[in-house]
Amino acid sequence: MARVFNFSAGPSTLPVEVLEQVQSELLDWRGTGMSVMEMSHRSPAFESIIRELEADLRTLIGIPDSYAVLFLQGGATQQFFQIPMAFLGDGYADYIITGEWGKKAYETARPFGKVNVPWDGADTNYNRLPVDFFTDRFAAYTHFTSNETVHGVQFPGDPEITGTWVADMSSDICSRPLDVTKYALIYAGAQKNLGPAGLTVVIARRDFLAGSSNTLPPYLDYRQHDKAGSLLHTPSCFAIYVTGLVIKRLQALGGLPAVDSVNRTKAEIIYNQLDGYFYRGHARPDARSLMNVTFHLPSEALTKRFVEESRAAGLDGLAGHRSVGGIRASLYNAMPTEGTRALAEFMTEFRQQHG
Ligand code: PMP
């Protein structure tokens, strides 16, 4: 068996220890005589899996009881419309657009009511952040994307001022410490830092949820999912199980401060390779993502060659998104430091050969 270093933007690499545990429990989950894949979501065994995940996630991030933790489906893409359907009402929302995903969230929300764009970085192809967080007390909510997966632009931390903040944290949740109380609602697809695809985590203040629309189908009503403990219908059972194992591992590694410290080291290893000439970073230095490092080579031909040769060297998934081009190295939690070292060495050699 030969595993590659997988730099894919998502679905993405998972901790090998977790995959091994899944393998060892695949046919018989802890004496139940069945796989989690085969288990009723109403069984005591699965109840224990989902409740343990919730408890562990609350401990890892520090989520107070005044917040609901929901395990939903539909991806972040569903949140793009579920949020405006639930919270726009007769008011308006602000969308701060720092990249491809913020733009998608905004465009999806538009048919549901009034949405404003107080800041949009399109004029420099989303390589920067607003100078400051700003707030609009009258907005139903202000939406932003903490980490823009395509452009490689990340806010340095939580918003520093009050406001009804809604954040898409799909590509940086659990990669660093987080003050949940700064937010009304946080959502994230699991398939980058948390686990397999098919699961969307929503963390929301219960008094914010209380004000949501009363005319939605139950499936789109966050309060119903909260009341049912995310068992309103059949959830993504297997993804919930694997995510539970990932969260336990993050806790064992020392929690989010320790995870953050490793992530900073990993990102620095790659950013140190960007010399501004042969490897040109896409994001401005003060907006750089620790999760998705985006950069360009001097030509299309060299970019193509870089992708091909890196793949042959066991470094997979490095082609950039078509809207940015170039290379994107995704360094989520489960990417080991040795993987980033291997990439940095490859970059040095490639530059020596072609620079
Ligand atoms: N938001 C961000 C920041 C993302 O990175 C992605 C997926 N790459 C999405 C939203 C869309 O997520 P999904 O495919 O889970 O709907």
Side-chain angles (χ1 to χ4, degrees), residues 282-344:
H282 177 75
R284 288 187 189 169
D286 61 355
R288 283 174 171 175
S289 167
L290 302 181
M291 298 284 100
N292 311 95
V293 181
T294 47
F295 59 90
H296 299 277
L297 277 80
S299 70
E300 282 293 322
L302 279 174
T303 306
K304 197 160 163 266
R305 194 149 174 185
F306 184 100
V307 171
E308 283 165 11
E309 289 184 14
S310 59
R311 188 171 292 136
L315 309 169
D316 205 85
L318 285 161
H321 189 274
R322 62 192 176 282
S323 61
V324 181
I327 302 294
R328 169 173 55 176
S330 297
L331 311 177
Y332 301 127
N333 290 344
M335 170 56 62
T337 308
E338 57 178 306
T340 53
R341 289 222 177 84
L343 174 57

Side-chain angles (χ1 to χ4, degrees), residues 112-156:
F112 297 101
K114 274 191 241 133
V115 280
N116 303 326
V117 180
W119 197 90
D120 185 340
D123 55 334
T124 58
N125 195 16
Y126 299 115
N127 70 347
R128 67 195 210 279
L129 292 166
V131 177
D132 249 326
F133 272 110
F134 35 84
T135 194
D136 175 348
R137 281 185 303 119
F138 300 106
Y141 60 88
T142 303
H143 180 281
F144 73 104
T145 312
S146 54
N147 181 65
E148 280 288 355
T149 321
V150 167
H151 290 86
V153 162
Q154 185 180 27
F155 280 89

Side-chain angles (χ1 to χ4, degrees), residues 9-10 74-78 80 101 145 147-150 168-171 187 189-192 200 332:
T77 300
Q78 177 169 311
F80 291 170
W101 292 108
T145 312
N147 181 65
E148 280 288 355
T149 321
V150 167
D168 176 359
M169 293 196 187
S170 290
S171 49
Y187 63 98
Q191 67 271 22
K192 295 150 199 311
T200 314
Y332 301 127

